[in-house]
Amino acid sequence: MLISVVVPCYNEEKVIAMTYDQLRAALEKITDDYEMIFVNDGSSDGTIGALKRFADSDKHVKYISFSRNFGKESAMLAGLRFASGDYTVIMDADLQHPPELIAEMLTYAQEGYDQVIGRRDRDGDDKRNAFFARTYYRLVDRLTDVKLADGVGDFRMLSRKALDALLTMNEYNRFSKGLFSWIGFKEKIIHYKNRQRAAGESKWNFGSLIKYGVDGVLSFNNKPLRFCFVLGAAAIGVSLVYLLSLFLSILFEGIDLPGYFTTIFTICLFGGVQLISIGIIGEYIGRIYYEVKRRPHFLIDETNFHTNLSKKEL
Ligand code: UDP
Ligand code: MG
């Protein structure tokens, strides 16, 4: 198999046929040796029906259907585990990732680049969102050890080597952007123009974006824990200075009782510092909790792959 294309789909009924047509057209121009792996992430609309229809008439179409919605990260992982291509592409089902780019990606991949990454500009994006995104990436860059670039997403072609490396990481809380960057290998970035989703609607809302943002920072290192430590040390430093000055003033000027404001102020300040620290520690413990359970990333309801499922599930 030369090329595998993994497409996670969640309620993409409105756009999936268009995506399938364009993807097939783009791949057919390159080779006949390809597979399209559509992962139905527990859609509640007609997505799975459409996928089965494509599969009936086209042997290049593979589908994997989950027992419920497990999230895009799990859907990508499932597709990647089943992909058998020398080169594997990950792309969204909404045509925001242009299939025509695959040919160019392949050229670079065959030159020896292990990750050929599509990078979009932010033209036509909501100004406010673009601003938040840019600020976020700058922040993540500071806070974590992995490098994330603005406009770089999951749209990319991976060599077999890079894909196998990616699959050795079996963590439950997956943050692919970070994992891609973590594995390294030779990278090539190609630029493309930002596009709006062809049909249907985005699955993101403000809450899920915040969660994603926090995941990005926490899943890659323990710098936030170190931040708690620094915060605590700074608080101790400040309070020592304050205690000393208080002590001296008592020594030289006698006890001066009114101190209601300072008392309340310190209680509030330190209460806040402690709660933040406990919260950060709690986030890590929560993650450990999910990791130690070692639950599967997804459960497959049906698929047209004829492989040993139980091996691939875990
Ligand atoms: N997706 C998925 N599971 C989910 C949410 C999204 O498989 O729980 C898929 C979705 O079908 C699409 C891709 O992830 O192919 C990106 O989703 P979307 O277009 O909603 O995100 P956006 O482009 O707005 O960031
Ligand atoms: Mg989209």
Side-chain angles (χ1 to χ4, degrees):
M1 185 76 61
L2 183 66
I3 306 178
S4 300
V5 182
V6 173
V7 188
C9 315
Y10 178 49
N11 292 344
E12 301 288 8
E13 175 184 52
K14 290 195 186 116
V15 72
I16 196 75
M18 225 189 306
T19 308
Y20 165 64
D21 286 338
Q22 293 194 19
L23 183 58
R24 192 188 46 185
L27 288 168
E28 223 115 74
K29 275 187 210 152
I30 306 171
T31 172
D32 187 40
D33 192 20
Y34 68 90
E35 62 179 354
M36 299 179 247
I37 306 175
F38 293 95
V39 185
N40 171 38
D41 185 12
S43 304
S44 51
D45 64 358
T47 305
I48 182 64
L51 296 181
K52 283 181 177 168
R53 245 178 295 123
F54 308 153
D56 281 344
S57 60
D58 183 349
K59 64 173 173 40
H60 297 290
V61 176
K62 302 283 181 199
Y63 65 84
I64 301 166
S65 188
F66 287 174
S67 61
R68 64 170 171 86
N69 179 247
F70 281 89
K72 185 184 176 190
E73 291 288 346
S74 300
M76 288 195 295
L77 180 66
L80 293 176
R81 281 192 188 160
F82 279 91
S84 53
D86 298 332
Y87 304 99
T88 301
V89 177
I90 307 168
M91 67 174 257
D92 283 359
D94 56 5
L95 290 175
Q96 282 188 298
H97 298 162
E100 311 83 70
L101 230 62
I102 295 175
E104 194 187 340
M105 287 178 160
L106 185 66
T107 331
Y108 285 115
Q110 285 176 329
E111 273 173 28
Y113 290 99
D114 293 294
Q115 297 202 54
V116 186
I117 306 163
R119 179 173 189 174
R120 68 185 176 97
D121 52 32
R122 288 203 174 268
D123 288 358
D125 260 14
D126 184 67
K127 284 257 160 37
R128 201 183 43 148
N129 286 352
F131 170 76
F132 275 129
R134 237 172 261 136
T135 321
Y136 173 71
Y137 284 114
R138 222 167 288 152
L139 191 76
V140 170
D141 231 32
R142 281 263 178 95
L143 282 179
T144 74
D145 306 324
V146 294
K147 293 279 157 264
L148 303 182
D150 184 22
V152 166
D154 303 318
F155 185 36
R156 62 186 66 215
M157 178 178 274
L158 301 171
S159 68
R160 186 36 58 186
K161 195 163 57 175
L163 177 54
D164 285 343
L166 195 70
L167 290 178
T168 58
M169 289 183 285
N170 211 18
E171 57 217 76
Y172 188 79
N173 292 290
R174 293 183 81 78
F175 183 72
S176 278
K177 278 189 190 183
L179 297 177
F180 290 137
S181 149
W182 192 88
I183 60 171
F185 292 115
K186 255 176 95 181
E187 289 179 3
K188 172 81 193 171
I189 292 186
I190 56 180
H191 295 262
Y192 66 95
K193 269 202 83 48
N194 194 15
R195 296 190 181 181
Q196 297 307 315
R197 174 181 252 289
E201 62 238 16
S202 173
K203 312 297 177 302
W204 293 93
N205 56 37
F206 193 66
S208 57
L209 279 177
I210 298 271
K211 186 184 166 298
Y212 186 71
V214 173
D215 275 351
V217 176
L218 294 189
S219 39
F220 272 88
N221 58 20
N222 53 9
K223 273 192 191 165
L225 286 175
R226 209 168 304 145
F227 168 75
C228 294
F229 182 79
V230 172
L231 202 67
I236 289 177
V238 171
S239 55
L240 278 181
V241 170
Y242 178 64
L243 278 182
L244 190 71
S245 82
L246 213 60
F247 180 70
L248 290 180
S249 83
I250 289 173
L251 215 58
F252 294 112
E253 289 160 29
I255 290 180
D256 172 24
L257 196 55
Y260 181 72
F261 175 73
T262 17
T263 315
I264 294 295
F265 173 77
T266 354
I267 291 176
C268 290
L269 180 74
F270 285 94
V273 169
Q274 284 168 357
L275 280 180
I276 289 181
S277 309
I278 293 174
I280 296 179
I281 296 171
E283 280 288 335
Y284 281 98
I285 295 180
R287 268 146 232 273
I288 297 171
Y289 174 67
Y290 280 108
E291 293 297 339
V292 294
K293 285 188 195 214
R294 303 204 117 263
R295 292 212 171 139
H297 294 89
F298 51 83
L299 291 172
I300 297 174
D301 181 23
E302 48 183 332
T303 171
N304 61 349
F305 272 106
H306 304 291
T307 37
N308 180 0
L309 279 186
S310 58
K311 219 176 83 201
K312 298 263 186 183
E313 262 163 40
L314 291 169

